[in-house]
Amino acid sequence: MASVIPASNSSMRSDRNTYVGKRFVHVKNPYLDSMDEDILYHLDLGTKTHNLPAMFGDVKFVCVGGSPNRMKAFALFMHKELGLEEAEEDIKDICAGTDRYCMYKTGPVLAISHGMGIPSISTMLHELIKLPRHARCCDVTIIRIGTSGGIGIAPGTVVITDIAVDSFFKPRFEQVILDNIVTRSTELDKELSEELFNCSKGIPNFPTLIGHTMCTYDFYEGQGRLDGALCSFSREKKLDYLKRAYKAGVRNIDMESTVFAAMCGLCGLKAKSTLIKPQTF
Amino acid sequence: MASVIPASNSSMRSDRNTYVGKRFVHVKNPYLDSMDEDILYHLDLGTKTHNLPAMFGDVKFVCVGGSPNRMKAFALFMHKELGLEEAEEDIKDICAGTDRYCMYKTGPVLAISHGMGIPSISTMLHELIKLPRHARCCDVTIIRIGTSGGIGIAPGTVVITDIAVDSFFKPRFEQVILDNIVTRSTELDKELSEELFNCSKGIPNFPTLIGHTMCTYDFYEGQGRLDGALCSFSREKKLDYLKRAYKAGVRNIDMESTVFAAMCGLCGLKAKSTLIKPQTF
C-alpha cells in the first residue's frame, strides 16, 4: 500500500474552500463560513477546543471502516509499515471523549471507525469531511476498508468498488433532505481503483478484482439471509436475487458504500474507493 | 421504574415459538426450526457455544440505546435500584468478543447498545429478538432509551413515543426485502406508554409527555441541521419543516424508532415503547 502514498505536498491554502493542489475539498454548506465555532459533536472535536491544523494538517490518507478494534489494528499496521519513530503506545483514540466513533492517526494516515450502516457512516462523514477544511490539508485520499458478503467469488477475495449500487442494482443514493428525496451519483474514482488494483498485483496470494458493490439497509432481509428473526422469502427467491445481482455486475454486498461514494463525490474528495474483503455467501 | 417490573412469572415454554404467558415472542422465520445451530454473529453468542437459557432465561426487560457507555451506566444504575447482591464488578460486557454492540445483564434487566441508525439497530434486533426464543423466556418488555432532538418542547423533556413516523410524518417503515419494498406499521404499545407516563408522574422535576417520534436516515440533512458538510436548504425551509412536523404531532427526532417499532411489533413484543430525552432544537 506504501506505493500509493504520494510525496509530501507543499500546496498552500488559498481560501476557506479551495486549496492549491491536485485535489480539492468542497464543503457545500454556505452557513459554515458565518459560524463562530464548528463543533464536530460525534468526533469530540471542535475549532475552538482543538488546534485542528496542528493535529491533522499533514493528513493525506483517511481510511474508514466499521469496527473500532479493526481500525486501531489498521493504524498500528500502518505505523509499522511506514517505519515511523513515534512510540506505538502514543497512537491513542483521538475521539476517546465519545463512544460513537474511534479515530487513530499515524503519520499522514488517519483511521476512523464508522459503525454499521448508512446513517452511522453518513453522520461521521459529515463531520470528517469538514476536517480537511478546518485543518487546512489538501490532496486527501479517502478509502473505506471493510468486510462484506461476496457474490460468486472465492472467500477472501478483495473487491475494489468501481460503482456502488443500491438494492435495485442502480448506481444511486437516495438522500432524504427534510421531506424531499434527492438522488445522488455513487461512482467512485477510476484512477484510484486502478492504482489499488495494480498494488494488489505485487502481493502474493492476494486475489483482487474491480466490481460493483451493492449497499443494503440491513444485514438480514436486505441481503437475503435466511437466519434473521424475520424471513419472508424462499431459498430460491434469495438465489434468484443474488444471481440477478451478479449479472448486474455486483461482486459483493456492504451497508455503507452508496452514501460513502455520494458524499465523497459531492465534496470533491476525488481520490476515493472502497476496498472490501468478502467473507461469506 | 421499579413499579413497572411484574412479579416473577412461572409460565412454561410449550413449543419453539409459543409460550404460556401474557406475552409471546413470534420469530417469523420458517428456516430457524431446521437449523442445527444459530449463531448470533454480531452479539458473539450462539446456541451451541452458550447456554442461552441459563444466561438469559430470567430476562423480563430489555433496554436498548445507542451508546455502549450509556448502556453500561444504565445497567449499573438498574443494579443499584434493584438492590441486587451480585458485585458491580461482575456486570461485564457479554458481547466482549465483538466490538459491534455491548450487552450487560443485571437481574431481569438486559441492556444492549445498538449504535446509530436504522441498519445498525435492525441488525442487532434480528439477533436480539431470537434470544428470548433460544433462552426460553417470556413476558419480555423491550424499551429503547436514547437522546434525541426535541421539537417545540423544553430541553430535558422526556418523550414517550406513541407512534414512530418517517421523514414524511407517516406511521410506516419501508423495509427493503431483496428488491421489494414492504411497508410495515410503526405503532407502539399504548398500555406501556401509559404505564411509563404514570411512572414519570411520581418523579419530581421530570417533565414527560407522550408524542410522535420522527425517525430519519441521517443526523444532518434529514434533521434540518445547518452545520453538516452538505446543506442545500435555507433556515426558513428548515423551520417550516420542523413546524409542519410539530403540527403532525412530532415532538422529537431520532434515527431508530421506525424500525424498532416495526420489528418488535411483527415479532409480538407487544409491550414496547421508546423513551427519549430530547437535548437540542
Side-chain angles (χ1 to χ4, degrees):
Chain A
M1 191 167 272
S3 65
V4 294
I5 299 176
S8 174
N9 191 305
S10 60
S11 304
M12 293 284 288
R13 186 180 180 235
S14 62
D15 65 44
R16 297 201 73 168
N17 265 329
T18 313
Y19 306 91
V20 181
K22 278 189 294 180
R23 297 168 197 154
F24 304 86
V25 178
H26 306 287
V27 174
K28 293 192 173 175
N29 181 349
Y31 296 97
L32 288 183
D33 275 335
S34 59
M35 280 168 54
D36 183 41
E37 181 180 12
D38 188 11
I39 299 170
L40 312 177
Y41 306 97
H42 300 87
L43 302 181
D44 194 38
L45 294 169
T47 52
K48 281 200 171 175
T49 49
H50 298 79
N51 184 345
L52 299 179
M55 290 173 76
F56 301 104
D58 63 340
V59 168
K60 295 292 172 196
F61 288 86
V62 176
C63 297
V64 304
S67 147
N69 289 347
R70 284 190 200 147
M71 293 324 287
K72 184 176 184 182
F74 173 75
L76 293 174
F77 170 78
M78 285 309 302
H79 181 72
K80 208 172 163 187
E81 285 291 304
L82 293 169
L84 299 174
E85 282 181 11
E86 186 190 10
E88 223 177 58
E89 303 78 59
D90 291 336
I91 301 175
K92 295 210 168 86
D93 180 11
I94 298 167
C95 304
T98 171
D99 61 354
R100 300 295 188 178
Y101 306 108
C102 288
M103 180 189 281
Y104 301 92
K105 184 178 178 299
T106 178
V109 179
L110 197 62
I112 307 141
S113 69
H114 55 61
M116 290 175 72
I118 287 173
S120 188
I121 192 174
S122 92
T123 302
M124 189 276 280
L125 285 176
H126 267 283
E127 301 179 14
L128 179 71
I129 288 171
K130 292 189 291 182
L131 210 52
R133 176 183 186 271
H134 293 313
R136 301 173 195 173
C137 44
C138 61
D139 286 347
V140 175
T141 296
I142 182 164
I143 301 175
R144 188 179 110 68
I145 311 166
T147 52
S148 66
I151 300 181
I153 56 175
T157 306
V158 172
V159 177
I160 299 170
T161 309
D162 52 1
I163 294 173
V165 300
D166 65 11
S167 301
F168 310 94
F169 320 137
K170 302 281 186 198
R172 66 185 179 191
F173 174 66
E174 294 189 336
Q175 172 70 49
V176 182
I177 302 177
L178 305 177
D179 52 352
N180 295 303
I181 298 172
V182 174
T183 302
R184 291 174 172 167
S185 162
T186 54
E187 200 160 337
L188 288 152
D189 189 72
K190 279 188 178 56
E191 202 183 332
L192 180 63
S193 295
E194 293 294 340
E195 211 168 347
L196 288 170
F197 187 65
N198 287 335
C199 288
S200 76
K201 289 180 187 168
I203 307 169
N205 303 317
F206 202 75
T208 306
L209 55 86
I210 295 176
H212 299 354
T213 295
M214 180 166 75
C215 179
T216 67
Y217 274 97
D218 87 325
F219 187 79
Y220 286 95
E221 294 178 281
Q223 295 190 20
R225 280 192 171 76
L226 303 172
D227 58 348
L230 299 164
C231 182
S232 57
F233 46 84
S234 65
R235 200 181 296 271
E236 291 68 35
K237 281 269 181 202
K238 164 200 168 145
L239 289 174
D240 170 67
Y241 179 64
L242 295 179
K243 277 178 191 166
R244 284 188 288 124
Y246 186 86
K247 210 172 160 188
V250 174
R251 293 296 175 268
N252 65 339
I253 313 179
D254 79 351
M255 291 166 69
E256 295 87 10
S257 56
T258 49
V259 75
F260 174 81
M263 289 185 70
C264 293
L266 272 172
C267 294
L269 279 159
K270 288 184 206 169
K272 60 196 160 18
S273 183
T274 316
L275 190 150
I276 292 163
K277 195 165 183 174
Q279 288 193 309
T280 54
F281 289 109
Chain B
M1 191 168 272
S3 66
V4 294
I5 298 176
S8 174
N9 191 305
S10 61
S11 304
M12 292 284 286
R13 186 179 180 236
S14 62
D15 67 45
R16 297 201 74 169
N17 265 327
T18 313
Y19 306 92
V20 181
K22 276 189 295 181
R23 295 170 198 153
F24 304 84
V25 178
H26 306 287
V27 174
K28 293 193 173 173
N29 180 349
Y31 296 98
L32 289 183
D33 275 334
S34 59
M35 279 168 55
D36 183 42
E37 181 179 12
D38 189 10
I39 299 170
L40 312 177
Y41 306 96
H42 300 88
L43 302 180
D44 194 36
L45 293 169
T47 51
K48 281 201 170 172
T49 49
H50 298 78
N51 184 345
L52 300 178
M55 289 173 76
F56 302 105
D58 63 341
V59 168
K60 294 293 172 198
F61 288 87
V62 177
C63 297
V64 304
S67 148
N69 289 347
R70 284 191 200 145
M71 294 324 288
K72 183 177 185 180
F74 172 75
L76 293 175
F77 170 78
M78 285 309 302
H79 181 73
K80 207 172 163 184
E81 285 291 304
L82 294 170
L84 299 174
E85 281 181 12
E86 187 190 10
E88 224 176 59
E89 302 77 60
D90 291 336
I91 301 174
K92 295 210 169 85
D93 180 12
I94 298 167
C95 305
T98 171
D99 62 353
R100 299 296 187 178
Y101 307 108
C102 288
M103 181 190 280
Y104 301 93
K105 183 178 179 300
T106 178
V109 180
L110 197 63
I112 307 139
S113 68
H114 56 61
M116 292 175 70
I118 287 173
S120 187
I121 192 174
S122 92
T123 301
M124 189 277 280
L125 285 175
H126 267 283
E127 300 179 13
L128 179 71
I129 287 171
K130 291 189 290 182
L131 210 51
R133 175 183 187 272
H134 293 312
R136 301 172 196 173
C137 44
C138 60
D139 286 348
V140 175
T141 296
I142 181 163
I143 301 175
R144 187 178 110 69
I145 312 166
T147 52
S148 66
I151 300 182
I153 56 176
T157 306
V158 172
V159 177
I160 299 170
T161 309
D162 53 0
I163 294 173
V165 300
D166 65 11
S167 300
F168 310 93
F169 320 138
K170 303 281 185 197
R172 65 184 179 191
F173 173 66
E174 292 188 337
Q175 172 71 48
V176 182
I177 302 177
L178 304 178
D179 53 351
N180 296 304
I181 299 173
V182 174
T183 301
R184 291 173 172 169
S185 162
T186 55
E187 201 161 337
L188 288 152
D189 189 73
K190 280 190 177 57
E191 200 183 333
L192 180 63
S193 296
E194 293 294 340
E195 210 169 348
L196 288 169
F197 186 65
N198 287 335
C199 288
S200 76
K201 289 180 187 167
I203 308 169
N205 303 316
F206 203 76
T208 306
L209 57 85
I210 295 175
H212 300 353
T213 295
M214 180 165 74
C215 179
T216 67
Y217 275 96
D218 87 325
F219 187 79
Y220 285 94
E221 294 178 281
Q223 296 190 18
R225 282 192 169 78
L226 304 172
D227 58 349
L230 299 164
C231 182
S232 58
F233 47 83
S234 66
R235 199 180 297 272
E236 293 68 35
K237 281 270 181 201
K238 164 200 168 145
L239 289 173
D240 170 67
Y241 179 64
L242 295 179
K243 278 177 189 164
R244 284 189 287 124
Y246 186 86
K247 209 173 161 186
V250 174
R251 292 297 173 268
N252 65 339
I253 312 178
D254 79 350
M255 291 165 70
E256 295 88 11
S257 56
T258 49
V259 75
F260 174 81
M263 288 185 70
C264 293
L266 271 173
C267 294
L269 279 159
K270 288 186 207 168
K272 62 198 158 17
S273 182
T274 315
L275 189 149
I276 293 166
K277 193 164 186 176
Q279 288 192 309
T280 55
F281 289 109

